[in-house]
Amino acid sequence: MKRACVIGWPIEHSRSPLIHNYWLKLCGIDGVYTKKAVPPEDVSTFLRSLASHGLVGCNVTVPHKEAALAAADETEASARAVGAANTLWLVEDKLCAANTDTYGYMTYLNLCVPAWKTRDKPVCILGAGGAARAIAHGFLEAGVEEIRVFNRTRARAEALARQFGARVKAHDWEERTSKARDAAVLVNTTTIGLNGMGSLEIDLTGFDPDCVVSDIVYVPLETELLAQAKARGLRTVDGLGMLLHQAVPGFEKWFGVRPEVTQELRDRLIADIKGSKPC
Ligand code: ATR
């Protein structure tokens, strides 16, 4: 039996087992995917000994993604560009690492609104953490000329801009409404809105009617930001798609089959989200 898992600290909230075990069953593969809480001081040792834990690989979530990149013998360009890894696998005795968050976000955006890229307008990103880096990298790869990053702690937005070069510009958090109205895509990568907590306090009045509004928060599935965008007739892209699509490359590496993100799988996740208590 092939085994993989997701590690994080904490890890209870992770829905990755639901996704991968669904695919394992659907594909008739003799495998299992579990979750394991690993404290920061043990991450590197754990990752360096995957085989002795009987694992073919693992996902890594908050706060271990930078440590995962550092622990790997071989890294894909995706992980190096973002400075973090979320997917690890073994090739013989070598630990390999990739970042599939960029792939997950861009794949779902392209599926939902393929026309987003026909507009020669900036992309506006709220937040400047690891998720923001993965998404900025995706838009740069897609050829976007200007990315505006708005972050509460301006220094982090500036660090992100420095990392990615002249096409990425840092802005004050207070400018998130006034300087985003012409955006082709507005994306929230902050934790605001998670479990219905907090408000981005962004006013979408006067936003270009073609602006695509997306959120990487998926609990609740329709965040306050997405609800406001819908009410104004703007197209929206929810955060669940990114979660589902980022899982595809890992499953393929570990189990040798490229799985599909189906409506049935999405519905299962939605049911789980609706039935869960806030964490
Ligand atoms: P991740 O790596 O998952 O993206 P992170 O690095 O913890 O997570 O980043 C969380 C983001 O949410 C940051 O941009 C953070 O802003 P700061 O850099 O100023 O901390 C943002 N964030 C979290 N709570 C916020 C709040 N109440 N108001 C504004 N921004 C917030």
Side-chain angles (χ1 to χ4, degrees), residues 4-271:
C5 72
V6 56
I7 64 163
W9 186 256
I11 198 60
E12 259 330 291
H13 65 281
S14 175
R15 290 182 166 84
S16 291
L18 205 59
I19 300 171
H20 290 285
N21 287 318
Y22 169 86
W23 282 331
L24 283 167
K25 197 168 169 205
L26 191 74
C27 300
I29 294 170
D30 183 21
V32 67
Y33 183 104
T34 54
K35 55 188 169 188
K36 186 169 170 57
V38 176
E41 60 273 22
D42 296 344
V43 171
S44 169
T45 311
F46 181 86
L47 293 175
R48 301 294 317 168
S49 53
L50 287 183
S52 67
H53 285 94
L55 294 161
V56 292
C58 69
N59 279 129
V60 171
T61 188
V62 178
H64 299 329
K65 293 185 183 182
E66 283 85 6
L69 179 72
D73 299 308
E74 284 178 10
T75 53
E76 286 195 348
S78 57
R80 291 195 299 275
V82 177
N86 70 337
T87 303
L88 293 110
W89 67 100
L90 290 168
V91 175
E92 293 169 1
D93 56 351
K94 284 210 176 350
L95 182 65
C96 305
N99 188 312
T100 67
D101 287 335
T102 303
Y103 168 84
Y105 179 80
M106 297 307 293
T107 300
Y108 190 56
L109 173 65
N110 287 327
L111 272 173
C112 291
V113 194
W116 73 265
K117 54 172 109 56
T118 59
R119 290 186 60 221
D120 188 16
K121 292 287 175 194
V123 164
C124 292
I125 299 180
L126 306 177
R133 288 204 306 276
I135 289 170
H137 173 59
F139 281 119
L140 288 173
E141 272 193 319
V144 170
E145 284 302 323
E146 183 186 354
I147 297 178
R148 298 176 188 158
V149 178
F150 304 84
N151 197 50
R152 176 179 61 180
T153 309
R154 191 184 157 106
R156 283 187 93 191
E158 284 170 358
L160 197 154
R162 266 198 308 280
Q163 180 188 342
F164 286 107
R167 286 194 282 157
V168 181
K169 296 184 176 69
H171 294 274
D172 287 338
W173 181 241
E174 286 66 34
E175 296 174 313
R176 64 194 179 283
T177 295
S178 62
K179 285 201 178 159
R181 292 196 181 102
D182 58 341
V185 181
L186 170 72
V187 50
N188 174 45
T189 73
T190 76
T191 47
I192 299 172
L194 178 62
N195 294 320
M197 306 283 275
S199 169
L200 280 165
E201 290 173 9
I202 188 163
D203 180 1
L204 299 178
T205 311
F207 270 57
D208 191 297
D210 285 328
C211 177
V212 178
V213 178
S214 82
D215 205 324
I216 69 161
V217 170
Y218 57 86
V219 182
L221 191 58
E222 185 173 280
T223 59
E224 184 192 277
L225 176 68
L226 297 184
Q228 188 194 157
K230 268 187 194 161
R232 296 196 174 280
L234 304 178
R235 286 163 304 177
T236 60
V237 179
D238 65 61
L240 184 57
M242 177 181 178
L243 175 77
L244 290 166
H245 285 278
Q246 64 76 34
V248 170
F251 188 92
E252 186 178 22
K253 301 260 191 224
W254 306 319
F255 303 114
V257 177
R258 192 162 183 90
E260 268 183 57
V261 175
T262 59
Q263 188 59 45
E264 188 191 333
L265 174 58
R266 212 180 126 83
D267 289 344
R268 285 192 183 206
L269 269 286
I270 291 171

